[in-house]
Amino acid sequence: MLPKLALDVMSCEVVRVLQLTDGFVVPISYSVPRKSGQEFHADLYPDTPGHIPSMRVEDWWTGENKQIERVSLDPAKGRIKSFTSSVIPTQETRSSHPETRSHLMKMEPAEDKEREKISSGRSSSSSSLTSPTTPSSLVQSASTTSGLSSGFVTSPSQRSFQSILGSSSKFRHNQGLVLHRDSHITNLKGLNLTTPGECDGLCVNRERVAVPLAGSGGQIAILELSKPGRLPDTAIPTIQNGVAVADFSWDPFNAHRLAVAGEDAKIRVWIVPKGGLTETISEASCVLQGHTEKIYSIKFHPLADGILASSSYDLTVRIWDIGTGREVKLLRGHKEQIFSLAWSPDGQHLATVSKDGKVRIFDPRKSVEAIEEGPGPVGPRGARVVWVCAAKYLLVSGFDSRSERQISLYQVGTLSSGPLVALSIDASPSTLIPFYDEDTSVVFLTGKGDTRTYVYEVIVEAPYFLECSSFSSSDPHKGFAFLPKIECNVQEVEFAKALRLSQNSIEPVVFKVPRVKKEFFQDDIFPETSVWWQACLSGSAWLAGSNGEHRKMSLQPKNMTPVSQAPKEIPVRKYAPSSVYLEEKSDEQKKEELLSAMVGKLGNRDDPLPQDSFEGVDDDEWARYLAQIIVMGVQVVGRAFTRALRQEFAASQAAANARGRAGRQSAATSSLTGMTLQEAKQILNVSKLTPEEIEKVVRAKERLDEELRIAQQNKENSQTGSHSQQHPET
């Protein structure tokens, strides 16, 4: 059984146990069904003992007895506390324990400073902390859903971890959907499934997609997105690269230019004619030579036209000017294979992750050596790097010491301190490929051969990764690539659109956010986006030291109003609250309501009485007027009405006597009530209308109603029995 602090309290999970079988450890969860999953149910979760020791060993030996402090499981109260350890002490530990303080004085100043930085800084904001000086036994990843509270490794899902910290993403319930088959490109044959792990498997731009094919010559199929459907059974026109393809990439500013890196250490630049390939081409427009060994990956500059970066087995990163066809920069410092490289969004820096376990940042125009480096993923199985959160952080996907796939977040400027957080995802042989959307700060993660695409929103404070609904496909995909934001249908709240490469087809996949008011433009999801498909400056200008910035454009259609400017609607309850139906009114409440109704019917007591408008109206005439109200009221409220009416009757008589009104019966009375006094007496079966007689009538009517009800029930029962026994005479 896991500690209480490891439970997902927002899902009303009350117990979680781990079952050990012959080959597995199976988590079993027990939850209490509750209607609302957005509220903390305090009746299920009393305060539980925390993870902070109540005393030291020396205190216990001297005879002290203290209970562990109990903590609340309510995420709103923030139960995660700072990391405390005798190896990495906090400031409080330093001041309260003289033995520890004397021991720390013997440590090296630099080491002491570094440990103090780790313990008092990031450990309070993140339970996942790694650094070169942190012992491996103290490293915990964010996949432990209870953070530092339990020390047990639970499900890879981050849902419990989020519930502890009370964080949630607006993209949490996003929906990944494959579009209709009419938009698919099908009958794709002869795919190359052996591209290196550093290659994405396919690359796309706004107009076309490039897919490597199997066979000799390094063939690449160029397919037009404007021409979906079934491909012919015969061979289609291709690019003949000449050697096996290692990586390839479209020029972001020229939809017709494709750069292909081959295993012969050359980069060939191809020009696709307008309208697509109509015949096989084998002559490249430009060949870039300089690397001495096989190339890993290539990346175009995000701002400058014609600038390309490449990494190779010769452990160098080279920057090329395609316009002149020459190498302009050579970056050194890597000691092992370079897994991945990525330009910063402003185009000023270049990040790499290497097999030597290092993450590096270069400023190519100022230095050929890294300006900053830190510990990266361990192991030789591959890694990827991408810039996130306005280029202030690096997201690195790789593998941990147990060969599980994980993602880590680094802050630029403090790479040497290690990642802020490391989140374990799952166990799989393929490297997770991250695709980051700057507008929404959402990262999509999937690998070649996977059937699932993970989705996280990246934030700059703990817990750093907010888990969102993932997308799953029925069969493994061979590649995944995203289209520009302008290809999304904002009317349907599509915030991302991708192409999925399967065994024999290319399928468009859209990611939507469910919204109610879809007639409004969701400006909280669609901020102004960068026009990254247009160059900001030339390659020569960037090499000379110039910097640029993409212009912004709005995705709002002209005929849509932003949801932030939508008129505020007053919420209307469709049904009355249950208290209205369940509330039992007391006799006093009923009496007050009846008196109010009678006053509204009879008028104010200070107003002239009804009989004042007629001459010669006596008390019997006034009683006859009230008899009509009795006939209606008795059928509704019974005795409560009678008591209230009796009081009103007496008050009315007293008022009439005070005014000195007396008279005889008048013919005008029938025009007031629609019946004579004699008719009212006949209806009520009384000779004289007095309060006592009225009460007798009411009681008699109640008895009569009860007898009628019983008789009706007996009749229905007898009819039911007669049908069952087929005796109609009963």
Side-chain angles (χ1 to χ4, degrees):
M1 181 181 296
L2 269 67
K4 289 289 186 180
L5 290 168
L7 300 179
D8 185 358
V9 296
M10 300 309 292
S11 298
C12 298
E13 183 185 32
V14 293
V15 174
R16 188 189 303 173
V17 298
L18 299 181
Q19 179 186 22
L20 177 63
T21 65
D22 290 340
F24 304 95
V25 175
V26 183
I28 303 174
S29 177
Y30 297 86
S31 300
V32 176
R34 289 292 174 92
K35 184 176 182 180
S36 173
Q38 304 297 327
E39 300 176 359
F40 176 73
H41 298 273
D43 58 322
L44 299 179
Y45 304 103
D47 291 351
T48 187
H51 63 278
I52 305 299
S54 61
M55 64 187 121
R56 299 177 303 159
V57 177
E58 295 82 358
D59 299 333
W60 182 79
W61 278 111
T62 57
E64 289 193 24
N65 292 307
K66 295 181 180 178
Q67 295 295 325
I68 294 180
E69 180 184 358
R70 303 182 76 85
V71 297
S72 173
L73 294 177
D74 189 352
K77 297 182 179 180
R79 65 175 182 267
I80 293 183
K81 298 187 176 182
S82 300
F83 185 89
T84 58
S85 170
S86 59
V87 179
I88 305 179
T90 61
Q91 187 65 31
E92 180 182 358
T93 309
R94 294 167 183 261
S95 60
S96 59
H97 297 285
E99 298 86 350
T100 305
R101 185 168 61 252
S102 62
H103 171 70
L104 292 174
M105 292 175 65
K106 301 177 183 179
M107 297 172 61
E108 293 294 331
E111 183 181 18
D112 180 58
K113 181 178 181 180
E114 182 67 22
R115 291 185 176 181
E116 180 180 1
K117 178 181 178 181
I118 295 172
S119 61
S120 61
R122 291 179 185 152
S123 59
S124 62
S125 60
S126 172
S127 62
S128 237
L129 183 136
T130 60
S131 75
T133 59
T134 305
S136 59
S137 60
L138 299 177
V139 177
Q140 299 193 16
S141 73
S143 65
T144 58
T145 57
S146 62
L148 293 171
S149 58
S150 66
F152 284 82
V153 179
T154 59
S155 169
S157 173
Q158 198 184 2
R159 186 176 297 110
S160 298
F161 184 68
Q162 290 176 215
S163 66
I164 291 175
L165 295 164
S167 300
S168 176
S169 171
K170 68 176 70 173
F171 305 97
R172 178 180 180 182
H173 301 291
N174 78 90
Q175 301 170 348
L177 304 172
V178 178
L179 295 184
H180 192 270
R181 188 175 177 83
D182 293 344
S183 61
H184 297 187
I185 298 176
T186 59
N187 198 33
L188 185 59
K189 298 180 179 180
L191 284 178
N192 182 7
L193 304 180
T194 60
T195 54
E198 292 76 24
C199 177
D200 292 348
L202 81 162
C203 61
V204 303
N205 58 24
R206 296 179 58 185
E207 299 180 12
R208 51 189 59 91
V209 55
V211 181
L213 300 179
S216 61
Q219 300 181 61
I220 299 178
I222 306 298
L223 308 175
E224 300 294 313
L225 296 179
S226 59
K227 300 176 182 178
R230 180 182 174 86
L231 295 175
D233 293 330
T234 58
I236 59 176
T238 61
I239 291 176
Q240 294 285 350
N241 192 61
V243 295
V245 176
D247 195 15
F248 53 105
S249 177
W250 288 107
D251 187 336
F253 314 124
N254 187 345
H256 301 277
R257 185 157 65 182
L258 178 69
V260 181
E263 293 187 353
D264 59 352
K266 296 179 181 179
I267 300 175
R268 294 169 175 84
V269 181
W270 303 86
I271 300 298
V272 178
K274 187 176 181 180
L277 291 179
T278 56
E279 60 181 3
T280 298
I281 58 175
S282 57
E283 291 294 330
S285 64
C286 177
V287 179
L288 306 177
Q289 301 184 57
H291 284 295
T292 58
E293 295 188 40
K294 175 183 173 181
I295 297 174
Y296 297 132
S297 58
I298 55 176
K299 296 291 181 183
F300 274 96
H301 194 279
L303 298 176
D305 187 18
I307 299 297
L308 180 71
S310 62
S311 61
S312 167
Y313 272 95
D314 59 17
L315 306 183
T316 64
V317 175
R318 301 174 189 254
I319 298 178
W320 310 84
D321 186 351
I322 296 179
T324 61
R326 64 185 180 89
E327 174 190 317
V328 294
K329 296 290 180 181
L330 175 62
L331 308 181
R332 302 182 182 275
H334 298 91
K335 299 177 177 59
E336 290 284 350
Q337 176 185 352
I338 305 169
F339 287 139
S340 175
L341 56 85
W343 287 101
S344 62
D346 58 9
Q348 299 182 28
H349 298 93
L350 189 69
T352 66
V353 57
S354 175
K355 187 177 179 180
D356 59 9
K358 297 289 185 181
V359 179
R360 295 176 174 89
I361 296 179
F362 292 85
D363 189 343
R365 294 176 297 183
K366 295 182 179 180
S367 174
V368 298
E369 299 289 338
I371 62 174
E372 187 180 1
E373 69 176 37
V378 298
R381 302 186 59 181
R384 292 296 185 97
V385 61
V386 65
W387 297 75
V388 299
C389 300
K392 296 181 180 179
Y393 296 83
L394 288 177
L395 187 148
V396 178
S397 65
F399 296 86
D400 60 14
S401 58
R402 298 176 297 178
S403 296
E404 291 185 354
R405 297 195 293 188
Q406 70 173 13
I407 54 176
S408 306
L409 189 67
Y410 296 79
Q411 185 172 11
V412 176
T414 60
L415 291 186
S416 60
S417 300
L420 298 174
V421 63
L423 174 64
S424 294
I425 303 296
D426 59 9
S428 180
S430 62
T431 305
L432 285 171
I433 305 174
F435 303 95
Y436 180 71
D437 181 14
E438 294 183 5
D439 297 341
T440 59
S441 194
V442 171
V443 63
F444 303 86
L445 299 147
T446 190
K448 290 186 290 185
D450 288 359
T451 59
R452 183 176 181 182
T453 301
Y454 298 92
V455 183
Y456 292 92
E457 182 180 0
V458 186
I459 58 176
V460 296
E461 57 185 11
Y464 299 106
F465 296 116
L466 301 181
E467 185 181 10
C468 305
S469 298
S470 59
F471 164 74
S472 296
S473 55
S474 58
D475 59 322
H477 40 251
K478 312 306 177 183
F480 219 82
F482 280 79
L483 293 166
K485 184 60 71 74
I486 58 173
E487 299 299 320
C488 298
N489 185 358
V490 297
Q491 287 90 345
E492 294 297 325
V493 203
E494 296 176 3
F495 69 98
K497 185 175 183 179
L499 293 182
R500 174 182 174 270
L501 176 64
S502 65
Q503 183 70 36
N504 54 11
S505 65
I506 297 177
E507 305 169 350
V509 180
V510 296
F511 293 86
K512 300 181 179 182
V513 177
R515 289 292 174 92
V516 176
K517 298 181 179 180
K518 293 169 62 175
E519 66 273 13
F520 295 100
F521 175 69
Q522 309 295 321
D523 51 350
D524 61 325
I525 291 179
F526 300 105
E528 290 188 339
T529 188
S530 298
V531 186
W532 55 264
W533 52 91
Q534 295 180 1
C536 298
L537 64 164
S538 64
S540 58
W542 179 80
L543 291 171
S546 299
N547 295 316
E549 184 178 355
H550 285 302
R551 68 178 180 90
K552 300 283 188 176
M553 66 170 291
S554 175
L555 297 174
Q556 178 182 346
K558 295 182 179 180
N559 59 346
M560 294 185 72
T561 303
V563 70
S564 60
Q565 301 177 11
K568 303 297 182 181
E569 296 182 0
I570 300 176
V572 179
R573 294 185 67 98
K574 187 175 181 180
Y575 302 102
S578 59
S579 58
V580 173
Y581 302 101
L582 300 178
E583 181 182 5
E584 289 292 340
K585 297 180 181 179
S586 63
D587 289 343
E588 292 298 325
Q589 291 175 324
K590 294 177 181 179
K591 176 181 176 181
E592 292 296 329
E593 292 181 5
L594 290 169
L595 288 176
S596 299
M598 291 177 61
V599 170
K601 178 72 176 178
L602 301 177
N604 194 294
R605 189 171 296 174
D606 295 334
D607 295 338
L609 295 174
Q611 61 265 37
D612 290 348
S613 58
F614 305 95
E615 292 185 0
V617 179
D618 59 7
D619 293 341
D620 288 343
E621 176 78 7
W622 174 233
R624 185 207 54 76
Y625 171 77
L626 295 180
Q628 186 181 21
I629 303 176
I630 297 173
V631 174
M632 295 182 296
V634 164
Q635 299 176 7
V636 181
V637 293
R639 294 183 179 179
F641 182 87
T642 304
R643 290 194 296 269
L645 182 62
R646 199 163 50 236
Q647 296 176 4
E648 191 67 18
F649 188 94
S652 300
Q653 281 190 328
N657 293 333
R659 295 170 184 241
R661 295 292 183 179
R664 298 296 179 187
Q665 184 176 0
S666 172
T669 57
S670 60
S671 63
L672 176 65
T673 63
M675 68 175 69
T676 63
L677 177 61
Q678 188 63 29
E679 291 172 343
K681 291 180 179 180
Q682 291 176 355
I683 292 174
L684 298 177
N685 194 25
V686 294
S687 58
K688 186 176 182 180
L689 287 176
T690 62
E692 293 76 14
E693 294 293 334
I694 292 173
E695 187 169 355
K696 291 179 181 179
V697 172
V698 171
R699 291 177 179 175
K701 187 177 185 306
E702 288 178 349
R703 290 194 299 270
L704 179 61
D705 290 342
E706 181 65 18
E707 292 173 359
L708 289 174
R709 185 186 65 79
I710 295 174
Q712 182 66 23
Q713 185 176 0
N714 293 336
K715 180 179 179 181
E716 293 174 356
N717 294 338
S718 62
Q719 289 177 352
T720 303
S722 64
H723 285 299
S724 61
Q725 301 176 12
Q726 298 182 358
H727 289 293
E729 64 275 8
T730 305

